[in-house]
């Protein structure tokens, strides 16, 4: 199982058995919960269920190709990352423990009876079609808000009997929004006989997407045939229009001519209906020109062209700086929601603040079918050749920074100097008013990115504007909680007195506060001013806990701008090279109090 490498399978990093007594598996940590948690609120929206199910089916299909059967598919074994992407976990549990099933004692069944196939419950030899049945139960639960057969732990025999003998109630009985086409997909997967189910997970996902209208199809007849299980559902035949009556034709030649004309018209109609839509031309990016929200708002026709460009398997890939900070994790979710509102597929690739990791992530996204890249670059020089390769391959790109080459794409620009200046001015005013203008000030910087250096320049200028007598101890690496903690802890360990910390973002501030706490320095001795206005920062500001203010950067505006720019690029439109997102106000305790009032 540890050899499975797929975007929707939870990675296994290490496994070991210690002294034949203790076994463990180390896997990637995901913070988005499980599908089981999501289903506590009832059925999912049809399109969201389709999106999640497709991701799960792709992962399961890949595992089947490698000869591995999951055997315990259920909502709690589908984990979610911060951006809402699905990861299949707990592979091979039944195979590891054994296949013998004993239903005489509660809890001794290998697997979860509510999601197990009839042949699995009977203890027969199973293949990938057993997982298809479990996928059918999973999809039923997501769409209907409950599994097809329910029973308490004290009535396991009842649910097993229903899986073995009873047809499932149509899921539309519990959710009237389920269409007959979607219902047909679910019920085919839940056939008692394995031969009557889908032969593979990908085929089931493809039919579901066609039924939901999420993908184009060249013929509705083939789609209908694919999703209708002949053994249980009678195909619904649409009523044909009544042909107009014609007078009797006296000439057989006229009849023949009319038949030929109708045949020709039919061929033309079929050709027009099945012809793939033309892909949009490459976009035109106006080098050096700035744009506004109006310039980047896509029209309905541009959204349709972007969808055509992505096709059935293409997607927008977001190469995120990390998913450990609230800012970036929330931004990834916002971008997913904006992309979903346009019907565009979207995936997140987490760099985890590892500069070198961005190179294989970009290459992986391209290999998996990304048609556009949104990049939060950690080190532009390091990934230069990778970005140039993507540009040469005709892949449009959107960057979450502006002080860098655009590689033929779009740069999203905030006024970083102004952001830093606002946070620095607040710290300078506090130093002037509460510390007689004298203080040792630490600047938490991120020297690998020019835009953040510019932001740090604004921090320093803002402090010295109002407190010219303050001492700038130096600039130290921040940007993440770990970097902020390490830099601040090292200063404190060296006996440096710190009176104020100004940070290029909240994440670095949080790390610095951890270090202050660890060294027993009370909140009334050090002030912190920062940028991002994350939820925890607002809480600290309200409570007067170290932090005195944080600048709102307009994160949601950046998220919207990134997806809007991506959509217009995919549509082949003309766009400015630079889109400037103005910062918002700095939040202080007084402002937050007045807002609450």
């Amino acid at each position: 199982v540890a050899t499975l490498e797929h975007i929707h399978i939870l990675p296994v990093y290490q496994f070991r058995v210690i002294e034949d007594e203790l076994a463990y598996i180390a896997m990637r940590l995901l913070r988005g919960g499980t599908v089981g948690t999501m289903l506590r609120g009832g059925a999912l929206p049809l399109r969201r269920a389709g999106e999640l199910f497709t991701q799960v089916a792709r992962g399961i299909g890949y595992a089947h190709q490698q000869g591995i059967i999951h055997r315990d598919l259920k909502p709690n074994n589908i984990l979610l990352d911060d951006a809402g992407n699905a990861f299949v976990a707990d592979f091979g549990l039944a195979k590891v423990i054994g296949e013998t099933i004993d239903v005489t004692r509660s809890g001794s069944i290998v697997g979860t009876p509510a999601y197990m196939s009839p042949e699995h419950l009977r203890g027969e030899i199973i293949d990938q079609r057993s997982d298809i049945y479990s996928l059918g139960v999973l999809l039923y639960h997501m769409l209907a808000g409950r599994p097809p057969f329910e029973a308490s732990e004290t009535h396991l025999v009842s649910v097993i009997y229903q899986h073995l003998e009873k047809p499932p109630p149509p899921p539309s009985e519990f959710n009237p929004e389920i269409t007959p086409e979607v219902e047909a997909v679910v019920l085919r997967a839940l056939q008692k006989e394995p031969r009557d189910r889908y032969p593979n997970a990908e085929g089931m996902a493809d039919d579901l997407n066609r039924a939901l209208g999420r993908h184009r199809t060249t013929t509705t007849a083939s789609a209908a045939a694919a999703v209708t299980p002949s053994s249980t559902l009678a195909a619904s035949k649409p009523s044909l229009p009544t042909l107009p009556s014609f007078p009797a034709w006296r000439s057989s030649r006229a009849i023949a001519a009319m038949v030929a004309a109708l045949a020709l018209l039919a061929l033309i109609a079929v050709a027009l209906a099945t012809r793939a839509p033309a892909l949009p031309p490459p976009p035109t990016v106006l080098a050096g020109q700035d744009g506004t929200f109006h310039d980047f708002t896509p029209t309905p026709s541009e959204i349709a062209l972007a969808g055509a460009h992505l096709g059935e398997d293409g997607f927008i890939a977001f190469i995120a700086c990390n998913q450990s900070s609230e800012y970036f994790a929330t931004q990834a979710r916002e971008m997913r929601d904006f992309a979903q509102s346009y019907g565009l597929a979207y995936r997140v690739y987490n760099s985890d603040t590892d500069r070198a990791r961005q190179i294989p992530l970009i290459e992986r996204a391209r290999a998996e079918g990304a048609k556009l890249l949104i990049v939060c670059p950690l080190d532009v020089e390091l990934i230069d050749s990778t970005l140039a390769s993507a540009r040469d391959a005709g892949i449009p790109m959107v960057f979450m920074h502006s002080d860098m080459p655009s590689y033929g794409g779009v740069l999203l620009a905030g006024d970083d100097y102004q952001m830093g200046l606002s946070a620095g001015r607040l710290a300078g005013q506090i130093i002037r008013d509460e510390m007689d203008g004298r203080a040792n000030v630490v600047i938490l910087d991120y020297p690998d990115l020019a835009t953040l250096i510019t932001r740090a320049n604004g921090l320093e200028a803002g402090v010295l504007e109002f407190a010219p007598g303050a001492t700038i101890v130096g600039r130290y690496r921040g940007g993440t909680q770990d970097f902020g903690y390490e830099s601040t802890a090292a200063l404190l360990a060296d006996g440096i007195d710190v009176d104020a910390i100004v940070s290029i973002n909240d994440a670095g501030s949080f790390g610095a506060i951890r270090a202050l706490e660890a060294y027993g320095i009370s909140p009334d001795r050090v002030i912190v001013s920062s940028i991002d206005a994350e939820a925890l920062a607002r809480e600290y500001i309200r409570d007067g806990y170290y932090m005195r203010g944080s600048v709102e950067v307009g994160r949601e505006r950046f998220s919207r701008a990134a997806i809007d720019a991506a959509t217009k690029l995919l549509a082949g439109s003309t766009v400015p090279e630079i889109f400037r997102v103005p910062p918002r106000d700095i939040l202080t305790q007084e402002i937050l109090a007045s807002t609450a009032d």
Side-chain angles (χ1 to χ4, degrees):
V1 174
T3 65
L4 294 177
E5 292 285 346
H6 191 273
I7 189 172
H8 294 301
I9 294 177
L10 188 68
V12 172
Y13 296 143
Q14 181 61 275
F15 61 93
R16 189 167 298 170
V17 178
I18 301 174
E19 298 179 355
D20 295 326
E21 292 183 357
L22 177 66
Y24 74 86
I25 300 176
M27 297 174 286
R28 176 181 170 185
L29 174 64
L30 297 182
R31 297 179 173 86
T34 69
V35 170
T37 303
M38 294 178 66
L39 290 174
R40 293 175 187 171
L44 304 181
L46 264 61
R47 294 189 67 83
R48 178 60 174 147
E51 178 187 56
L52 284 174
F53 182 83
T54 299
Q55 295 178 350
V56 172
R58 299 295 186 231
I60 291 296
Y62 170 80
H64 289 170
Q65 294 170 10
Q66 311 307 311
I68 295 178
I69 306 168
H70 191 286
R71 304 170 186 240
D72 193 25
L73 283 169
K74 58 185 178 182
N76 286 341
N77 281 345
I78 310 301
L79 276 60
L80 303 171
D81 65 11
D82 290 322
N85 294 305
F87 291 76
V88 184
D90 290 344
F91 268 89
L93 176 62
K95 185 177 181 180
V96 171
I97 299 176
E99 296 185 23
T100 303
I101 296 177
D102 178 5
V103 299
T104 60
R105 292 182 296 109
S106 175
S108 63
I109 295 178
V110 175
T112 307
Y115 297 88
M116 290 169 64
S117 68
E119 63 270 25
H120 195 172
L121 289 167
R122 286 192 293 264
E124 299 173 355
I125 296 176
I126 62 175
D127 58 21
Q128 77 275 6
R129 293 171 298 182
S130 178
D131 277 352
I132 299 297
Y133 185 93
S134 298
L135 285 174
V137 181
L138 175 67
L139 180 58
Y140 190 114
H141 195 167
M142 288 195 292
L143 295 171
R146 49 153 285 172
F149 307 118
E150 290 187 310
S152 66
E153 291 186 3
T154 58
H155 294 84
L156 290 179
V157 174
S158 171
V159 74
I160 292 171
Y161 169 75
Q162 292 178 82
H163 275 294
L164 294 175
E165 303 294 339
K166 295 290 185 180
S172 58
E173 289 185 6
F174 307 103
N175 183 359
E177 293 184 4
I178 298 174
T179 65
E181 295 80 8
V182 171
E183 187 165 83
V185 175
V186 179
L187 296 180
R188 178 177 176 183
L190 291 177
Q191 292 300 292
K192 304 298 184 188
E193 292 296 330
R195 64 174 177 271
D196 294 329
R197 302 172 200 149
Y198 285 96
N200 56 66
E202 292 90 340
M204 182 180 175
D206 289 343
D207 278 359
L208 176 65
N209 284 314
R210 278 190 285 266
L212 289 170
R214 296 183 72 233
H215 293 308
R216 300 188 311 277
T217 177
T218 56
T219 166
T220 55
S222 63
V227 301
T228 305
S230 57
S231 60
T232 57
L233 295 179
S236 57
K237 298 181 179 180
S239 57
L240 297 175
T242 303
L243 293 175
S245 58
F246 292 92
W249 292 93
R250 297 180 180 179
S251 168
S252 59
R253 289 183 179 180
I255 295 174
M258 185 173 185
V259 170
L262 289 173
L264 179 59
L265 289 173
L267 287 173
I268 293 173
V270 169
L272 290 174
T274 59
R275 185 176 61 191
L279 290 178
T284 299
V285 179
L286 303 175
Q289 291 197 16
D290 287 14
T292 64
F293 276 104
H294 176 73
D295 298 314
F296 280 84
T297 302
T299 64
S301 61
E302 287 176 322
I303 294 172
L305 284 170
H309 191 156
L310 292 181
E312 293 194 3
D313 299 318
F315 56 91
I316 297 169
F318 177 36
I319 313 300
C321 282
N322 63 63
Q323 292 289 272
S324 57
S325 74
E326 178 194 332
Y327 180 92
F328 286 114
T330 304
Q331 185 173 70
R333 290 196 296 270
E334 289 171 344
M335 289 165 62
R336 180 202 67 200
D337 293 340
F338 290 136
Q340 190 175 39
S341 71
Y342 293 157
L344 305 178
Y346 164 86
R347 297 182 187 176
V348 177
Y349 294 79
N350 181 17
S351 302
D352 201 20
T353 322
D354 185 341
R355 292 176 293 168
R357 183 180 173 87
Q358 291 202 313
I359 296 174
L361 283 181
I362 292 171
E363 297 297 347
R364 176 181 168 189
R366 290 179 57 183
E368 291 175 346
K371 297 297 180 65
L372 182 139
L373 300 174
I374 300 175
V375 183
C376 175
L378 292 169
D379 187 330
V380 177
E381 291 185 4
L382 183 63
I383 60 176
D384 173 72
S385 61
T386 305
L387 297 177
S389 173
R391 175 201 59 205
D392 296 342
I395 297 177
M397 290 176 278
V398 177
F399 297 96
M400 307 304 283
H401 294 294
S402 59
D403 292 344
M404 59 175 289
S406 69
Y407 298 89
V410 169
L411 304 172
L412 301 186
D415 193 334
D416 285 280
Y417 185 82
Q418 184 60 48
M419 292 183 217
L421 194 64
S422 296
R425 282 172 171 169
L426 175 66
Q429 290 170 352
I430 296 172
I431 293 169
R432 179 196 63 190
D433 298 338
E434 300 180 14
M435 303 178 183
D436 296 326
R438 303 289 179 180
N440 288 336
V441 182
V442 170
I443 297 175
L444 291 181
D445 195 353
Y446 192 83
D448 298 322
L449 288 177
T451 54
L452 297 183
I453 294 174
T454 300
R455 191 180 292 187
N457 291 340
L459 290 171
E460 183 170 350
V463 169
L464 296 178
E465 178 182 344
F466 286 90
T471 300
I472 305 298
V473 176
R475 295 190 182 189
Y476 303 89
R477 183 177 292 274
T480 70
Q481 287 202 37
D482 288 343
F483 289 152
Y485 175 84
E486 292 167 3
S487 295
T488 307
L491 289 169
L492 297 175
D494 289 341
I496 303 296
D497 289 329
V498 178
D499 302 304
I501 297 172
V502 288
S503 173
I504 52 100
N505 66 356
D506 285 341
S509 295
F510 299 152
I513 290 172
R514 282 171 44 209
L516 294 171
E517 292 170 332
Y519 278 82
I521 298 174
S522 63
D524 59 352
R525 286 185 52 196
V526 178
I527 66 164
V528 179
S529 182
S530 183
I531 298 166
D532 280 348
E534 294 185 6
L536 182 58
R538 294 172 187 239
E539 181 180 335
Y540 284 168
I541 294 168
R542 286 192 187 95
D543 296 341
Y545 191 70
Y546 296 104
M547 293 194 73
R548 302 293 290 272
S550 185
V551 178
E552 285 191 286
V553 299
R555 183 203 60 242
E556 186 176 350
R557 293 181 183 179
F558 271 92
S559 302
R560 167 70 77 178
I563 295 301
D564 284 353
T567 303
K568 292 181 79 73
L569 289 172
L570 288 170
S573 301
T574 298
V575 295
E577 182 183 37
I578 302 171
F579 177 38
R580 298 200 178 275
V581 182
R584 304 181 70 179
D585 297 330
I586 187 165
L587 297 181
T588 63
Q589 190 176 55
E590 294 76 14
I591 291 174
L592 289 174
S594 64
T595 303
D597 293 340

